[in-house]
Amino acid sequence: MAKIKYVEFNGTVHEIEVSKGLSVMEGAVQNSIPGIDADCGGGMSCATCHVYINDSEWFNKLPEKEMGEDDMLDQAYEPKSNSRLSCQLIVSDELDGLTVHMPEKQV
Amino acid sequence: MIKTDVVIIGAGPTGLFCAHQLGIIGLKCEIVDNLDKIGGQCIELYPDKPIYDIPAVPQCTGEELTNNLIEQIKPFNFNFHLNDRVQELKNENNKWIVKTSNGKEFETPNVVIAGGVGSFEPRKFPTKSAEIFDGKTVLYSIKDKTIFKDKSVVIFGGGDSALDWAIELSNSSKVTLVHRRDEFRGAPSSVQKIKELSKSKKIELITKYSMNEVKGNGSIESVEIKSESGESKTIKADYVLGFFGLIMQLGPIAEWGLNLNKKTIPVNTESFETNKKGIFAIGDICTYPGKLKLILSGFHEGALAARGCFKYARPDEKYRFEFTTASSAIKDRLGVKE
């Protein structure tokens, strides 16, 4: 288990214990946290699980983007340089304590 | 008014295979899709990407899969209604009256919703100031390129649409291409071409900036772009084009009184019928315990939904299970000789 903090655009904070091996996206969807849609189900084929990693130290610590993630992020709502697709962040001990911020909307 | 046994909403792989199954059991159907071509997400999102998990097909692209499915339903001569969207579903005397945005009307006992994650719409600029000019001088697709002649055109995006139009319009317009990062996702040859055009000053290329605001009184005068660190630039513009790919919206489906679970429709797993009699949902848009968003699951769901349609389309007949290898009735429908 790793503790992941999800911060909605309106500031609401959800702190969830997510099982190792799940993605940060799945942690949100399975706990009915609003703000992450994940239309494609986690296949890096849409951009509706888009989150920001506001802490640059955390951002740099995350596993690097695979080919294609930035291409999908181009199609997200208000992408920034600290954007990630949460379906691509697989929960492990290293991610314990990660905070992700959600954009104003996904579509 | 077109009378038919089934109206299928969505011409993606799931809708196409459901049509095949309807043809096999002797029912007629009409297929409506709001894209201008057959194939759904397969053709719109990944026509060239290989798919590896279609049973008995080790590898095929979205386009190949679509073409094979079209081939497979050819014997049934079903009608496609493309570029059209089902707007309204109404129940009259146990039949569904289906109305489309182009004004077509169907009367049918069955509707199969195979709508994927809804209909594709272009992603728009997030700023309110772009809405005022939407469809006039702020555009997300191009119908008539002659309107840009000798004008200042600012294009946003980093994919093939943005690059291709920047290249094309650079011949006769003053083009500025703005993209949020240094890398482009378009074809390497287009990226190369853009860099050459930028070098020779045929286009102005600005990266690491994105749209902040569209300015103008009555008509567009300029766009203000901003970088993440807060710098801003103002560019003179007559037209602003945005190419950020497509988003999927559930659209009118949400207004038909169906139970919804987020953006999906709960169904039973016997016939994939929804909470409304005669309305079925299959493929990515349906949900049930254990649902997988795979094409192969959509095929299975379509086969069972087709049998579900049979009892409403032929209330006085009993559905009889048959194999395509053995049934002469099926072979007749397929037009194959024994």
Side-chain angles (χ1 to χ4, degrees):
Chain A
M1 291 287 210
K3 199 171 270 181
I4 308 288
K5 205 193 263 184
Y6 299 86
V7 186
E8 287 182 55
F9 188 74
N10 66 16
T12 311
V13 177
H14 307 262
E15 213 163 28
I16 306 279
E17 296 274 351
V18 182
S19 303
K20 276 187 249 172
L22 289 182
S23 66
V24 171
M25 177 278 282
E26 287 170 311
V29 169
Q30 292 181 4
N31 290 288
S32 304
I33 296 173
I36 290 182
D37 291 358
D39 283 346
C40 80
M44 211 162 77
S45 299
C46 72
T48 60
C49 66
H50 170 210
V51 294
Y52 302 116
I53 315 295
N54 288 353
D55 184 327
S56 61
E57 236 170 81
W58 264 111
F59 185 81
N60 295 329
K61 218 159 78 175
L62 294 174
E64 282 201 11
K65 289 176 202 158
E66 256 190 71
M67 229 178 70
E69 185 175 337
D70 259 322
D71 292 350
M72 271 334 299
L73 280 168
D74 279 349
Q75 300 169 57
Y77 178 85
E78 295 261 284
K80 297 182 191 161
S81 55
N82 63 343
S83 291
R84 291 295 306 251
L85 293 179
S86 58
C87 71
Q88 298 302 303
L89 303 174
I90 305 302
V91 172
S92 62
D93 287 337
E94 283 76 58
L95 260 59
D96 188 37
L98 172 71
T99 300
V100 301
H101 284 80
M102 316 213 188
E104 187 181 353
K105 53 185 186 177
Q106 294 288 355
V107 293
Chain B
M1 178 88 81
I2 303 168
K3 289 189 182 183
T4 186
D5 295 322
V6 184
V7 169
I8 299 180
I9 302 173
T14 296
L16 293 175
F17 192 69
C18 181
H20 175 264
Q21 291 294 295
L22 290 166
I24 289 284
I25 63 176
L27 298 186
K28 291 268 163 256
C29 72
E30 303 279 330
I31 304 160
V32 183
D33 196 300
N34 84 318
L35 286 177
D36 58 359
K37 47 193 174 297
I38 300 171
Q41 292 177 58
C42 278
I43 218 70
E44 195 60 38
L45 298 184
Y46 46 89
D48 310 318
K49 277 194 193 167
I51 309 168
Y52 300 99
D53 58 356
I54 307 297
V57 181
Q59 181 185 336
C60 71
T61 64
E63 187 176 15
E64 287 163 352
L65 184 81
T66 301
N67 288 341
N68 280 337
L69 284 162
I70 293 171
E71 180 73 27
Q72 204 167 7
I73 60 171
K74 230 178 212 162
F76 309 120
N77 272 321
F78 293 143
N79 291 320
F80 284 90
H81 307 270
L82 301 174
N83 257 328
D84 203 355
R85 181 158 93 164
V86 173
Q87 248 1 79
E88 202 184 301
L89 275 189
K90 228 171 43 196
N91 198 291
E92 273 177 23
N93 310 319
N94 264 335
K95 298 265 190 202
W96 289 103
I97 307 297
V98 180
K99 290 184 183 168
T100 72
S101 49
N102 288 348
K104 283 184 184 154
E105 270 189 51
F106 303 91
E107 184 191 291
T108 177
N110 298 294
V111 176
V112 174
I113 303 173
V117 215
S119 48
F120 292 100
E121 287 163 28
R123 177 178 289 285
K124 300 189 168 184
F125 292 110
T127 165
K128 278 249 177 297
S129 58
E131 278 172 32
I132 309 164
F133 305 102
D134 196 334
K136 293 182 292 244
T137 44
V138 172
L139 302 170
Y140 302 97
S141 65
I142 293 176
K143 291 200 178 75
D144 174 15
K145 65 174 182 182
T146 60
I147 59 173
F148 305 113
K149 194 169 181 322
D150 300 325
K151 303 279 184 191
S152 297
V153 183
V154 184
I155 302 176
F156 289 81
D160 281 314
S161 304
L163 302 186
D164 291 349
W165 280 115
I167 293 166
E168 166 91 26
L169 297 180
S170 67
N171 293 320
S172 54
S173 318
K174 187 181 177 320
V175 172
T176 309
L177 178 63
V178 184
H179 184 40
R180 72 171 187 103
R181 58 187 175 117
D182 276 335
E183 282 124 59
F184 295 87
R185 64 177 188 281
S189 60
S190 312
V191 177
Q192 184 60 33
K193 179 86 185 157
I194 285 289
K195 287 184 175 155
E196 285 165 19
L197 288 170
S198 162
K199 225 176 190 173
S200 59
K201 305 251 187 293
K202 293 266 169 48
I203 67 167
E204 190 179 355
L205 178 61
I206 304 176
T207 56
K208 298 195 167 171
Y209 274 81
S210 53
M211 165 68 85
N212 192 36
E213 219 183 324
V214 181
K215 292 181 169 175
N217 217 337
S219 61
I220 292 189
E221 282 153 23
S222 62
V223 284
E224 186 181 85
I225 56 174
K226 63 171 194 308
S227 72
E228 262 185 52
S229 48
E231 297 141 278
S232 72
K233 290 183 195 215
T234 300
I235 314 166
K236 183 184 174 296
D238 300 307
Y239 286 95
V240 178
L241 306 174
F243 298 105
F244 305 111
L246 299 162
I247 54 171
M248 287 173 270
Q249 298 275 30
L250 204 47
I253 294 172
E255 284 142 39
W256 298 339
L258 299 167
N259 288 342
L260 289 177
N261 178 356
K262 282 174 122 188
K263 288 191 231 168
T264 55
I265 305 170
V267 290
N268 73 51
T269 50
E270 190 185 333
S271 65
F272 297 87
E273 198 166 9
T274 66
N275 61 312
K276 299 259 182 200
K277 190 181 157 205
I279 300 193
F280 301 79
I282 57 176
D284 284 358
I285 204 159
C286 76
T287 185
Y288 52 87
K291 167 67 185 171
L292 287 176
K293 284 191 183 183
L294 290 178
I295 292 172
L296 75 95
S297 308
F299 289 164
H300 162 80
E301 293 153 13
L304 284 173
R307 274 73 186 175
C309 292
F310 189 90
K311 66 177 178 193
Y312 300 133
R314 303 277 184 276
D316 304 326
E317 288 174 41
K318 178 104 182 66
Y319 165 71
R320 208 158 55 84
F321 176 78
E322 293 176 299
F323 287 116
T324 58
T325 44
S327 159
S328 55
I330 291 178
K331 285 179 188 172
D332 275 348
R333 290 173 197 140
L334 286 168
V336 291
K337 299 222 163 44
E338 304 233 14

